[in-house]
């Protein structure tokens, strides 16, 4: 009586396993005995997808296996994933923390298992990290303020990322530090959660209350692109927009002249350098404690360097 | 005299309308630019995506179910539409239809899991939330894709004072009201939501109706996804994350009961407008980002509380 149901359950779980295995093999690179784990904060964002691609390319070139997991921006989830990595006999772990302040338990798990940990894009506030591969978000924010001050003067608005997220904090802080150099004044700072649709809505709303805005700084390109939509013809002419990240869509907007500048972080280089350091650590070679991947201001003039 | 009675009747039929009016009056006083025609149009446009999602959810909630997958299904439908045209080179209208069909299929799967698989709606649609979001990432490879022109026009203006999203929202409002009040399916939703066993005994094919209900919700989600993508001229892998909760909030603010059997299209429209007015106002008043979520939560609770009190007093 109960037999068919059992068969069905068994078949279902078998197919689920097969599916998992199939997907799993998709995430790993080819060849080599050395396996490295990469715990990404989220793949729901083109920036981190590029970081992952850079890491995969480097892993393929260096002949190591790379296992990628995605924490979906959940710090707890990420700690679990790194703890799982620590039990899998990996030779090195790369962590791209969801939040610098919440990555300590993950670092502890790696340390207890004796596995070298490399941090990429964001730092780990407390914990043992053999190498930190990052761009300076604070410096990037300052560069954005300077660039916006160069392009325009008068009232500007600041579209902030997710309140309390480390990238919002750092970029916002840098932006404020860079403000005193130019003739711009922030009249509104509102969150649009790094989201393009929210960038569009928030910018539309801010325009109602502040019709004389001359500039916009957005904590990422996605929000900047939303703001450009809201500004319509004004974008790039009456209102200068500066974004952050240098995503393909962001670069395209710079090319079209609707975005004045973006602060390029070179996520592919970040991923690549992180794997290079992790492989060195796995082989017991000397690693570079801090790898600084330069942030660069991209304008129409130097766009060619960044377009792929 | 009669007008005051009518006004009273409208207000007591729609508790949320009172809440909306209070918000509008308060914001008009606090933010001088709030009451301009352009800004009110903006609010309408900004409400459209959540409103269309919420209309679909109204069917589900009235019938005593819940659909947590609408945000992800919206993103997936828009992404399939964008992918079909940008990557696969299909003509725009066909890509749009494929996107809408994706929503219907996702809805049918939800409905089948609920009615034939006997999964609780919460679990079936929670699974779909994850699957649809994952498929969106698979299709898009994690990057935003440009939408075909026919979709982008959904986000534009017909004339300066006639934004397409607003129009779409009103059309779907009419459609929802019609389905709920004038069709067999609509009446079946209330009966199923009121008492599923009684509905079955009175001869309603509950399983089949549930398929229809979730398919409608999937279709509406797909339309909302197209609107969202149209406004940005691109479909994003991370689009509409968390919108299912906004949709449910809009339905409940509008006076629907999560235990089923109660709910109206007009209420849901007002619920969506309350959320949009609130977000618009918070931006214009430049409320600190840390406080905005607190305010939104408090207003949702107050709106529903007001409605409950009103019901108790009229009983």
């Amino acid at each position: 009586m109960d037999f068919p149901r059992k068969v069905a359950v068994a078949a279902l779980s078998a197919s689920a396993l097969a599916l998992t295995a199939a997907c799993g093999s998709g995430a790993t690179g080819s060849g080599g005995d050395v396996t490295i784990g990469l715990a990404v904060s989220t793949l729901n964002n083109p920036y981190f997808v590029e970081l992952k691609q850079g890491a995969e390319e480097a892993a393929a070139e260096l002949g190591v296996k790379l296992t990628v997991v995605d924490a979906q921006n959940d710090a707890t989830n990420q700690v679990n994933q790194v703890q799982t990595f620590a039990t899998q006999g990996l030779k090195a772990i790369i962590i791209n923390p969801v939040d610098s302040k919440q990555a300590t338990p993950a670092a502890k798990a790696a340390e207890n298992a004796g596995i070298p940990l490399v941090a990429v894009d964001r730092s780990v506030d407390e914990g043992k990290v053999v190498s930190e591969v990052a761009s300076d978000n604070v410096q990037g924010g300052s560069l954005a303020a300077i660039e916006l001050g160069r392009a325009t003067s008068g009232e500007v608005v600041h579209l902030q990322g997710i309140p309390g997220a480390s990238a919002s904090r750092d970029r916002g802080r840098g932006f404020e530090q860079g403000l005193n150099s130019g003739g711009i004044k922030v009249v509104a700072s509102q969150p649009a959660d790094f989201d393009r649709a929210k960038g569009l809505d928030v910018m539309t709303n801010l325009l109602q209350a502040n019709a004389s805005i001359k500039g916009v700084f957005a904590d990422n390109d996605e929000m900047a692109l939303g703001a450009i939509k809201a500004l319509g013809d004004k974008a790039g002419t009456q209102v200068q927009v500066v974004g952050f990240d240098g995503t393909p869509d962001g670069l395209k907007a710079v090319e079209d002249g609707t975005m004045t500048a973006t602060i390029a972080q070179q996520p592919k280089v970040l991923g690549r350098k992180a794997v290079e350091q992790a492989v060195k650590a796995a082989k017991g070679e000397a690693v570079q404690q801090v790898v600084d991947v330069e942030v660069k201001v991209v304008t129409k003039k130097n766009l060619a360097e960044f377009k792929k | 005299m009669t007008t005051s009675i009518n006004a009273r009747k409208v207000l007591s039929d729609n508790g949320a309308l009172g809440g909306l009016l209070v918000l509008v009056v308060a914001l008009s006083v606090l933010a001088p630019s709030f009451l301009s025609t352009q800004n009110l149009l903006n609010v309408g446009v900004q409400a459209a995506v959540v409103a269309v999602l919420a209309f679909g959810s109204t069917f589900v909630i009235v019938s005593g179910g819940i659909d947590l997958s609408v945000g992800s299904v919206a993103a997936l439908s828009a992404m399939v539409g964008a992918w079909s045209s940008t990557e696969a080179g299909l003509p725009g209208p066909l890509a749009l239809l494929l996107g809408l069909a994706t929503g219907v299929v996702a809805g049918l799967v939800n409905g089948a899991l609920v009615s034939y698989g006997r999964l609780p709606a919460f679990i079936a649609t929670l699974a779909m939330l994850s699957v649809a979001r994952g498929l969106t990432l698979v299709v898009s490879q994690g990057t935003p894709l440009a939408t075909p022109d026919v979709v982008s026009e959904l986000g534009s203006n017909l004339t300066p004072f006639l934004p397409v999203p607003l129009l779409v929202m009103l059309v779907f409002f009419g459609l929802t009201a019609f389905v709920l009040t004038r069709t067999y399916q609509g009446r079946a939703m209330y009966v199923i939501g009121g008492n599923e066993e009684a509905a079955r005994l009175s001869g309603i094919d509950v399983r089949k109706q549930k398929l229809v209900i979730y398919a409608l919700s999937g279709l509406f989600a797909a339309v909302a996804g197209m609107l969202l993508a149209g406004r940005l001229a691109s479909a994003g892998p991370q689009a509409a994350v968390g919108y299912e909760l906004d949709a449910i909030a809009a339905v409940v603010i509008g006076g629907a009961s999560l235990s089923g059997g109660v709910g109206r299209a007009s209420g849901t429209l007002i619920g969506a407008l309350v959320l949009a007015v609130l977000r618009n106002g918070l931006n214009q008043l430049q409320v600190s980002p840390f406080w905005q979520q607190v305010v939104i939560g408090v207003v949702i609770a107050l709106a529903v509380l007001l409605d409950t009190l009103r019901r108790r007093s009229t009983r």
Side-chain angles (χ1 to χ4, degrees):
Chain A
M1 261 272 276
D2 214 39
F3 186 65
R5 180 173 292 177
K6 274 187 185 157
V7 172
V9 170
L12 258 181
S13 35
S15 56
L17 271 178
L19 194 64
T20 322
C23 295
S25 66
T28 56
S30 58
D33 300 328
V34 178
T35 304
I36 292 171
L38 168 62
V40 186
S41 59
T42 174
L43 290 177
N44 228 342
N45 178 332
Y47 175 81
F48 294 107
V49 174
E50 277 195 59
L51 188 149
K52 182 189 92 155
Q53 283 166 354
E56 281 169 344
E57 284 170 16
E61 279 167 29
L62 295 168
V64 295
K65 271 188 186 161
L66 185 72
T67 307
V68 183
V69 291
D70 168 14
Q72 299 180 336
N73 261 339
D74 180 335
T76 318
N77 204 350
Q78 186 165 57
V79 170
N80 296 342
Q81 288 172 339
V82 173
Q83 284 171 343
T84 311
F85 269 166
T87 63
Q88 285 176 332
L90 301 181
K91 296 287 187 263
I93 298 174
I94 304 168
I95 184 171
N96 157 230
V98 170
D99 193 294
S100 304
K101 292 189 192 304
Q102 296 179 316
T104 310
K108 271 270 178 307
E111 191 184 346
N112 289 342
I115 302 172
L117 185 73
V118 174
V120 64
D121 189 55
R122 295 170 189 148
S123 60
V124 175
D125 274 8
E126 275 175 59
K128 197 181 161 212
V129 174
V130 294
S131 176
E132 199 177 298
V133 182
S135 300
D136 190 342
N137 272 311
V138 180
Q139 189 204 346
S142 300
L143 286 174
I146 293 165
E147 191 59 34
L148 194 57
R150 198 177 292 160
T152 187
S153 60
E155 298 185 338
V156 302
V157 298
H158 177 196
L159 295 181
Q160 300 165 311
I162 294 169
S166 49
S168 319
R169 291 197 297 261
D170 293 347
R171 292 172 190 183
R173 190 152 50 92
F175 181 65
E176 278 157 28
Q177 286 170 7
L179 276 176
N180 37 24
S181 64
I184 51 175
K185 182 172 157 268
V186 178
V187 291
S189 295
Q190 285 288 290
D193 301 352
F194 292 126
D195 181 89
R196 204 186 290 196
K198 287 189 183 151
L200 165 58
D201 284 349
V202 172
M203 190 66 222
T204 310
N205 297 342
L206 291 177
L207 277 174
Q208 287 298 315
N210 312 274
S212 55
I213 291 170
K214 291 284 182 281
V216 179
F217 169 59
D219 282 348
N220 78 345
D221 280 349
E222 285 292 300
M223 292 189 294
L225 290 164
I228 286 170
K229 262 277 168 197
L231 289 164
D233 295 342
K234 284 194 203 164
T237 53
Q238 292 166 45
V239 182
Q240 308 299 321
V241 180
V242 175
F244 206 117
D245 280 349
T247 62
D249 279 8
L251 295 177
K252 191 170 171 301
V254 173
E255 189 175 17
D256 295 343
T258 48
M259 202 190 288
T260 311
T262 179
I263 310 300
Q265 282 229 74
Q266 315 190 66
K268 268 198 177 165
V269 180
L270 284 170
R272 171 172 290 275
K273 298 257 180 200
V275 169
E276 286 170 9
Q277 295 302 319
V279 170
K280 278 186 187 164
K283 291 184 178 163
E285 295 169 13
V287 294
Q288 218 176 317
Q289 243 174 12
V290 176
V291 182
D292 187 20
V293 177
E294 207 184 348
V295 288
K296 285 183 174 169
V297 180
V298 189
T299 59
K300 233 174 180 170
K301 280 182 206 151
N302 62 352
L303 184 66
E305 290 174 43
F306 298 89
K307 274 261 180 191
K308 294 140 216 155
Chain B
M1 192 64 186
T2 48
T3 50
S4 78
I5 288 171
N6 280 342
R8 206 187 207 170
K9 186 173 179 305
V10 168
L11 273 184
S12 72
D13 277 355
N14 259 315
L17 188 58
L20 179 62
L21 290 177
V22 169
L23 262 183
V24 168
V25 170
L27 285 172
S28 311
V29 174
L30 294 171
S33 51
F34 177 80
L35 214 55
S36 70
T37 316
Q38 187 55 52
N39 191 53
L40 293 181
L41 282 174
N42 289 345
V43 171
V45 170
Q46 288 165 11
V49 173
V50 167
V52 174
L53 279 180
F55 290 142
S57 295
T58 309
F59 299 136
V60 178
I61 288 172
V62 161
S63 69
I66 191 101
D67 191 346
L68 297 176
S69 70
V70 291
S72 299
V73 170
L76 176 62
S77 307
M79 191 55 80
V80 167
W83 182 87
S84 310
S85 105
T86 317
E87 304 283 315
L90 295 176
L94 189 61
L96 173 67
L97 282 182
L98 269 179
L100 296 180
T102 305
V104 175
V105 170
L108 283 174
V109 172
N110 278 336
L113 286 174
V114 171
S115 56
Y116 297 99
R118 304 220 178 131
L119 254 62
F122 192 98
I123 299 302
T125 59
L126 184 64
M128 183 57 76
L129 177 149
S130 180
V131 170
R133 181 63 61 188
L135 288 177
T136 311
L137 286 170
V138 171
V139 173
S140 65
Q141 291 297 306
T143 51
L145 293 181
T147 50
D149 290 345
V150 60
V151 173
S152 306
E153 270 157 29
L154 280 177
S156 60
N157 285 353
L158 274 185
T159 71
F161 289 105
L162 198 54
V164 181
L166 190 64
L167 209 63
V168 174
M169 174 170 80
L170 294 177
V171 167
F172 275 78
F173 164 62
L175 201 64
T176 308
F178 179 78
V179 170
L180 282 175
T181 56
R182 299 264 182 262
T183 65
Y184 172 80
Q185 276 76 21
R187 260 164 259 155
M189 290 171 195
Y190 287 100
V191 180
I192 294 172
N195 186 334
E196 194 170 323
E197 188 59 15
R200 197 180 60 79
L201 291 173
S202 66
I204 293 174
D205 187 345
V206 173
R207 289 177 168 186
K208 197 178 123 201
Q209 290 306 323
K210 281 195 176 169
L211 271 185
V212 174
I213 290 164
Y214 284 91
L216 274 176
S217 177
L219 173 65
F220 278 43
V223 172
M226 294 296 172
L227 274 183
L228 185 66
R231 294 190 60 207
L232 302 165
S234 81
Q238 76 279 38
V241 170
Y243 279 34
E244 55 279 348
L245 298 180
D246 272 4
I248 294 170
V251 176
V252 174
I253 291 172
S257 159
L258 277 181
S259 46
V262 183
R264 295 191 333 180
S266 56
T268 298
L269 178 65
I270 291 165
L273 287 174
V274 166
L275 291 177
V277 164
L278 197 56
R279 295 219 164 94
N280 179 287
L282 288 173
N283 285 153
Q284 298 212 16
L285 295 175
Q286 291 181 27
V287 174
S288 139
F290 300 113
W291 280 103
Q292 289 197 2
Q293 297 179 22
V294 177
V295 176
I296 291 171
V298 169
V299 170
I300 291 175
L302 278 180
V304 180
L305 198 63
L306 196 75
D307 197 40
T308 326
L309 289 175
R310 174 189 60 81
R311 261 168 231 245
R312 218 178 284 162
S313 68
T314 51
R315 198 168 284 163

